[in-house]
Amino acid sequence: MPPRRTNAGSRTRRAAGRTPARFPGAGPARATPAPSPPAAAPAGGEPAVTWLELDVGPVAHGGICVARVDGRVVFVRHALPGERVRAVVTDRSHDRYWRADAIEVITPSADRVAAPCPHAGPLPPPSPTAAASAAQQAAAAAAAGWGCGGCDWQHASLPAQRRLKAQVVVDALRRLGGLAAHVAPDDDAGWRTAGTVAWPAEAPTPADGEARAATPADGTAAPGPDSLAVAVAALPGPGERDGLGWRTRMRFAVTPDGQVGLRAHRSHLVVPTPDCRIAHPLVVAKVADRRFPRADAVEVAASLPSGRVWAGPVRRPDDQPPPGAGALGRGREGTAARAPSDEPEVLVEQVRDRRFEVATGAFWQVHPAAAELLVAEVLAALAPRPGETAFDLYAGAGLFAAFLAEAVGAAGTVVAFESDRAAARSATRSLADLPQVSVRPVRVTPASVRGALGSAGAGRRVDVAVLDPPRAGAGPEVMAALLEQRPRAVAYVACDPAALARDLAAALALGYRVTAVRGFDLFPMTAHVECVARLEPAEPG
């Protein structure tokens, strides 16, 4: 079968009769030794480079694809499903799998495009003939602007990125959640650009004794009646058409000479990226032509409603080595303390007709359209009613609590749980006009969830709940404590599909069912995806 052509403008070429495309420093185009164990280290003490020619398989969580060679799994970055690539092994410390970077694309996917960012792509492999060590060569490549680890999918078209993310969600729901799920076909998605539509009133339920049939790994089989259709929708505004210029909050690393940058993948090496293409223009302008000597990192936050931008360096202790000075590999980050900023540390955000005064250290969604979209989705999923009691777990700066409070009215109650002090203060400040909201500056634990109603009022029950946990998820104990209250509807906002799937599995065991899972592309060009799942009791009453 002849290789498929890439999209116009791709850096790849046809494999037949032409030299395969490769990143700078890839070496000879067709030298493809048979897969073998790592070669012995040369006299200099560094291991020899191991090259593999791979047929790339399905996508996996984390911006990688899966290939296999001689029975070993190889996780490949910078590749796409169905491609044939020449890759260099970057990590062989595990017995069962290796990690690799695709350096040359021999047979490209039709979804491959030219990366819009000049910093995207892998670090070039070290040259065996160069006098410098491999670590020195990698550091020089990073300093020249190659190998940024901030984006995972710059080489894929935006529609392909969203399909890949949907497949990752489906795979997690099936493997970790015990749910039947499939990637929604394009003609059945209905909301590829995000917009709230009615959530289903009931989940599809399998017949008595019928096991939930799992779809194949690629999600292409005809789904059963109980299968959840998953699509990942684009957000309106910045990044909708090109995936760029959307990120309003950034934490930059800093090079030894004080430039802002991002680290290479799984490395301490810092790639200078003051022109980061996914950063909002206000963020880019704030760090342009600036140096931050003796800083370990620089935090930048932009408020689009006000046009104000804050930037604050994070200092490292005097005995900590400069960032990026170590060898390749992962290691412990040094402790750091925020230095005084050059502007006030509270920014004003606006969602619908409400203003939120958010501390720059508190969590806030980084995509300009995310907060409004997620509020609409949560309200549609929960349909809160006047007089009801609502829980907002992991409330952050009070985004969901504010609009739940407006919906339940003065006769209702909203209990918001948030352990981060800056975020809890922001929520208290922004929701001061809503006396029905009780902001609890506590960790979300089974005890705090179970004890909340005792102080909220005798005879109350939890009617609806939203939770937006950190990447690790809520965990089965917290899910149990929440669902013991038997809320009639729960909206689970998740930034990690695996954690979401595990928590949904816990909910299924507690007598709840999942009526829908929706994905949203809050983070174009990266492997991250936001999901909203709706839960309701499997048995009414």
Side-chain angles (χ1 to χ4, degrees):
M1 178 182 295
R4 289 181 291 178
R5 286 186 294 178
T6 183
N7 293 350
S10 169
R11 69 178 65 182
T12 59
R13 299 180 184 177
R14 287 179 181 265
R18 300 187 185 178
T19 302
R22 59 186 185 273
F23 296 100
R30 296 296 295 182
T32 53
S36 61
E46 296 197 8
V49 175
T50 300
W51 290 88
L52 302 171
E53 190 164 306
L54 301 170
D55 293 313
V56 181
V59 65
H61 191 26
I64 56 176
C65 293
V66 180
R68 296 180 184 273
V69 60
D70 288 352
R72 186 191 303 273
V73 171
V74 183
F75 295 123
V76 192
R77 278 175 59 84
H78 309 291
L80 292 172
E83 292 188 327
R84 186 167 183 83
V85 301
R86 188 166 180 253
V88 63
V89 176
T90 58
D91 178 4
R92 46 196 170 192
S93 61
H94 304 274
D95 291 335
R96 294 192 304 164
Y97 66 88
W98 285 348
R99 297 182 185 275
D101 277 345
I103 303 298
E104 300 172 4
V105 181
I106 299 170
T107 306
S109 165
D111 293 321
R112 179 169 285 272
V113 298
C117 178
H119 310 296
L123 285 170
S127 168
T129 60
S133 69
Q136 289 171 326
Q137 292 178 57
W146 267 90
C148 174
C151 290
D152 308 288
W153 295 119
Q154 292 253 352
H155 57 287
S157 69
L158 282 177
Q161 291 182 36
R162 291 163 188 151
R163 288 196 302 273
L164 293 172
K165 294 179 185 185
Q167 184 56 59
V168 168
V169 175
V170 165
D171 185 56
L173 293 175
R174 291 173 51 241
R175 290 188 304 106
L176 303 175
L179 290 158
H182 65 281
V183 176
D186 288 344
D187 59 359
D188 191 39
W191 45 287
R192 287 295 181 183
T193 295
T196 302
V197 296
W199 284 74
E202 296 183 356
T205 304
D208 291 343
E210 179 186 349
R212 290 182 176 270
T215 53
D218 63 1
T220 57
D226 61 322
S227 185
L228 296 166
V230 178
V232 173
L235 269 66
E240 180 182 355
R241 298 188 179 280
D242 61 6
L244 307 176
W246 52 268
R247 192 174 182 107
T248 60
R249 294 186 174 223
M250 296 281 295
R251 182 182 174 97
F252 290 101
V254 181
T255 66
D257 64 354
Q259 294 185 78
V260 298
L262 297 170
R263 298 188 188 277
H265 183 62
R266 298 175 60 83
S267 171
H268 284 307
L269 290 175
V270 180
V271 179
T273 56
D275 57 340
C276 175
R277 299 301 171 88
I278 66 171
H280 192 277
L282 289 175
V283 172
V284 173
K286 189 66 176 178
V287 297
D289 302 321
R290 294 184 65 180
R291 299 293 175 104
F292 297 87
R294 298 203 57 75
D296 179 64
V298 176
E299 295 180 352
V300 187
S303 164
L304 301 194
S306 66
R308 301 190 67 183
V309 190
W310 172 88
V314 177
R315 303 296 189 192
R316 65 179 183 273
D318 290 340
D319 59 351
Q320 183 178 336
L328 282 169
R330 303 180 74 181
R332 183 178 63 85
E333 294 286 346
T335 57
R338 180 179 292 182
S341 65
D342 58 357
E343 291 183 20
E345 296 191 21
V346 172
L347 294 177
V348 174
E349 303 288 352
Q350 184 156 341
V351 180
R352 299 187 174 183
D353 58 350
R354 289 200 66 87
R355 286 162 52 91
F356 293 83
E357 296 181 16
V358 183
T360 52
F363 173 78
W364 190 260
Q365 294 290 345
V366 299
H367 192 291
E372 181 124 9
L373 167 81
L374 292 175
V375 164
E377 290 293 322
V378 166
L379 292 179
L382 298 181
R385 304 161 188 164
E388 288 191 321
T389 296
F391 273 11
D392 183 359
L393 308 188
Y394 314 96
L399 174 66
F400 298 129
F403 296 100
L404 286 172
E406 290 182 356
V408 301
T413 298
V414 177
V415 183
F417 303 74
E418 177 52 56
S419 61
D420 180 77
R421 287 180 294 177
R425 286 195 296 267
S426 297
T428 300
R429 182 169 52 240
S430 298
L431 310 185
D433 63 320
L434 297 168
Q436 63 268 47
V437 179
S438 173
V439 178
R440 309 289 176 85
V442 297
R443 290 181 59 237
V444 176
T445 66
S448 65
V449 172
R450 290 190 176 104
L453 277 186
S455 56
R460 283 193 179 273
R461 56 162 286 179
V462 179
D463 298 293
V464 295
V466 58
L467 62 160
D468 186 4
R471 193 165 302 281
E477 293 83 6
V478 168
M479 293 298 293
L482 172 62
L483 298 183
E484 284 171 8
Q485 313 289 339
R486 305 308 290 177
R488 62 171 179 79
V490 176
Y492 190 128
V493 182
C495 60
D496 184 88
L500 170 66
R502 287 191 291 267
D503 285 346
L504 293 183
L508 294 178
L510 293 165
Y512 273 71
R513 61 183 179 183
V514 183
T515 64
V517 176
R518 293 184 176 170
F520 300 96
D521 199 14
L522 268 61
F523 316 98
M525 300 294 177
T526 79
H528 300 295
V529 59
E530 197 87 353
C531 293
V532 180
R534 184 183 184 275
L535 296 164
E536 65 179 19
E539 298 294 334

